[in-house]
Amino acid sequence: MSSLISAVALLAVSVGPGQTTKADKPKTVHLVSKIDTKDFGAETIRIGDLNGDGGPDLLFVQCVHGPRIISCLTATTIYGEILWRTGQPSGDNGRAYCDLPVQIYDWDRDGVNEVLYVRQAKYVGANDKGVRERAPQYEGNARMIVLDGRTGKEESSFDIPAPADDSILFADLTGRGRREDLVVKDRYWNMWGVSHEGKVLWHWAGSTGHYPAIADVDGDGKDEVFVGFALIDHDGKILFHSDPKGHHQDAATIVRPADGRWRLLFGDGGLYCMALDGTTMWQHPLREAQHVVAGRFRMDSPLQFAVVDRTPEPTHQRDANAWAILYLYNLDGKMIWQRKQEKGAWAIATLPINWFGAGKPRCIFVYGHSVFGQTPPRPAVIYDGEGQIVDELHMQYSPLPGEEKFSTDCYGLAADVWGDSREEVLLFGARGACIFTNARPLELPTLYNETLYPGM
């Protein structure tokens, strides 16, 4: 027995550098890939199968920063292998301050994804030196371009209204049984419903905010569109509209909890929860509510809402002293907890993420930028439903040879690209991208109770 103990002791002390023993702290995060994009990096990416192998790929979207003209699309695998490119990549065109009109979708139902993006109409009389929200005059129409997702070659195109060069999303406006129509918009003022064939179905002018939310809330098989201050029927009929009072919505969400009552949530100066008729169910007077997301983050109630309040103090001027607060509310609008962010953590956003797998509560994924370069970049953070930080994730990419100043600011997405049923974190910016997965053991009964006999 003593010789056996000595052998075990000898084995324990002979573990080399970089090796681990059972006594070491388990690894919680795994870096799936790190992509040094060099000249094609972007602050806008889309996720979808582009090469037809059934696995997700990445589409890096570059734009000319001031006029927001999409200038280059680069398709890669999740490991950075380039599949195809259209346009000319440039290290100067990786920055973006807003969403861009591009999506990946099987547009023609042929079982292979297409890439759709908007080619802008010509802006006349606009100053291209700075950020441009709209032009004094447009020449011609904007055009929706449809590319083969496997090759990047143009398959088709059709006209859309000239100013419609901001967000696009797919919706079922015509009762096709699948979201094959489009909702398109300009920056803040106009929104259109467009059929699959390119016919303009309706136009709505009002405070559109950044991105609409859609759902079939009346059960007629066609989607309604919610923009924060208005609910628009599939045919363009205004179901309700309230005075925005100079505001625009920064986030819109439509959910139908187990009680069957639809909730329409949006954030602008505050956080609002409305019924289908536009009446307010509850509200909170936050100063700059952003990114309202719904999910079951805790098991003690069926649904909660996470939201960020940027610059909650009136003295904050979006500088190095600015910070934000992350809130979690229950279905009735009661605050469950709040978490003040660190100084400089102003430009943050939230996403729900299935970090622990099926049957587990979702987590809240928080990512963000430094304050206009005045503060150090901050890691992305994952909170659980108790408000505790479970993981921190640092953007991973390297400076170019001889480069002394470079930023690791990033945006974030959550998607299951690793294929283990949990969602991964994708961090990306103008200089690169990386993907993290949860390294904790995945507890699925079909894995840890494997058997040749079915019925589990």
Side-chain angles (χ1 to χ4, degrees), residues 4 49 70 95 155 190 220 225 264-265 316 408 412 433 447 455:
L4 176 60
D49 181 13
I70 292 176
R95 300 299 305 273
E155 290 186 342
N190 298 277
D220 66 353
V225 185
L264 313 178
L265 287 98
H316 287 170
T408 54
L447 295 181

Side-chain angles (χ1 to χ4, degrees), residues 12-304:
V13 298
S14 65
V15 174
Q19 295 178 287
T20 60
T21 69
K22 202 68 174 178
D24 291 322
K25 185 177 180 181
K27 183 180 179 182
T28 63
V29 175
H30 171 65
L31 179 64
V32 173
S33 71
K34 182 179 77 169
I35 304 173
D36 287 316
T37 53
K38 306 289 190 299
D39 58 348
F40 68 86
E43 292 183 340
T44 300
I45 69 170
R46 299 291 186 249
I47 304 169
D49 181 13
L50 293 171
N51 60 10
D53 67 356
D57 301 302
L58 306 179
L59 183 70
F60 292 82
V61 185
Q62 289 193 330
C63 72
V64 180
H65 184 255
R68 299 181 297 124
I69 298 171
I70 292 176
S71 57
C72 182
L73 302 173
T74 302
T76 78
T77 66
I78 63 171
Y79 302 106
E81 176 190 359
I82 295 178
L83 301 173
W84 54 261
R85 173 179 292 143
T86 179
Q88 185 65 38
S90 170
D92 295 328
N93 293 339
R95 300 299 305 273
Y97 68 93
C98 64
D99 196 33
L100 294 175
V102 58
Q103 299 288 2
I104 299 173
Y105 193 53
D106 183 5
W107 178 244
D108 56 11
R109 286 204 198 198
D110 65 349
V112 178
N113 279 332
E114 282 74 43
V115 172
L116 284 80
Y117 77 96
V118 173
R119 183 179 294 157
Q120 289 186 352
K122 184 177 180 180
Y123 282 33
V124 180
N127 180 5
D128 289 349
K129 293 182 179 180
V131 171
R132 186 179 69 194
E133 305 286 7
R134 68 198 305 184
Q137 183 180 346
Y138 299 93
E139 185 176 288
N141 288 307
R143 203 154 175 83
M144 187 67 69
I145 310 299
V146 183
L147 305 179
D148 185 331
R150 295 164 296 187
T151 65
K153 302 298 183 183
E154 185 172 328
E155 290 186 342
S156 61
S157 65
F158 53 88
D159 285 345
I160 58 174
D165 57 9
D166 197 75
S167 301
I168 61 173
L169 71 160
F170 301 105
D172 187 355
L173 303 176
T174 55
R176 295 172 179 269
R178 182 175 179 263
R179 289 175 171 169
E180 295 184 353
D181 305 310
L182 290 162
V183 175
V184 299
K185 61 183 283 292
D186 61 8
R187 184 68 172 145
Y188 291 128
W189 307 276
N190 298 277
M191 184 170 66
W192 294 264
V194 179
S195 75
H196 187 82
E197 297 76 20
K199 177 184 177 182
V200 176
L201 302 171
W202 48 262
H203 166 241
W204 181 80
S207 181
T208 64
H210 287 296
Y211 199 82
I214 60 170
D216 178 13
V217 298
D218 58 9
D220 66 353
K222 302 171 186 177
D223 287 324
E224 282 67 53
V225 185
F226 175 54
V227 294
F229 299 95
L231 181 64
I232 314 300
D233 207 347
H234 67 274
D235 57 2
K237 178 184 177 181
I238 300 173
L239 300 177
F240 73 76
H241 178 247
S242 57
D243 184 0
K245 298 178 180 178
H247 295 281
H248 68 259
Q249 58 90 354
D250 286 306
T253 298
I254 302 177
V255 292
R256 189 183 189 184
D259 64 9
R261 300 171 61 198
W262 288 95
R263 268 77 163 179
L264 313 178
L265 287 98
F266 74 99
D268 67 343
L271 173 62
Y272 300 86
C273 178
M274 295 186 296
L276 288 182
D277 61 1
T279 58
T280 300
M281 302 175 72
W282 51 265
Q283 69 181 76
H284 289 283
L286 307 180
R287 289 184 58 82
E288 190 182 354
Q290 297 265 344
H291 288 251
V292 186
V293 295
R296 191 168 196 180
F297 305 111
R298 303 162 59 94
M299 297 302 290
D300 55 3
S301 60
L303 193 72
Q304 300 88 38

Side-chain angles (χ1 to χ4, degrees), residues 359-435:
K360 305 287 186 179
R362 284 188 159 196
C363 292
I364 304 167
F365 166 35
V366 179
Y367 64 92
H369 277 240
S370 61
V371 182
F372 305 120
Q374 300 177 66
T375 56
R378 59 192 307 274
V381 178
I382 296 179
Y383 287 88
D384 64 18
E386 301 297 326
Q388 303 301 312
I389 295 176
V390 296
D391 281 308
E392 290 189 354
L393 310 166
H394 295 264
M395 181 65 178
Q396 302 284 317
Y397 56 87
S398 307
L400 295 172
E403 185 179 21
E404 295 182 357
K405 289 186 177 182
F406 72 104
S407 173
T408 54
D409 278 344
C410 61
Y411 288 85
L413 288 174
D416 181 13
V417 300
W418 189 235
D420 68 350
S421 81
R422 296 180 290 198
E423 290 181 318
E424 280 67 56
V425 166
L426 291 86
L427 301 180
F428 52 95
R431 284 292 317 283
C434 58
I435 301 174

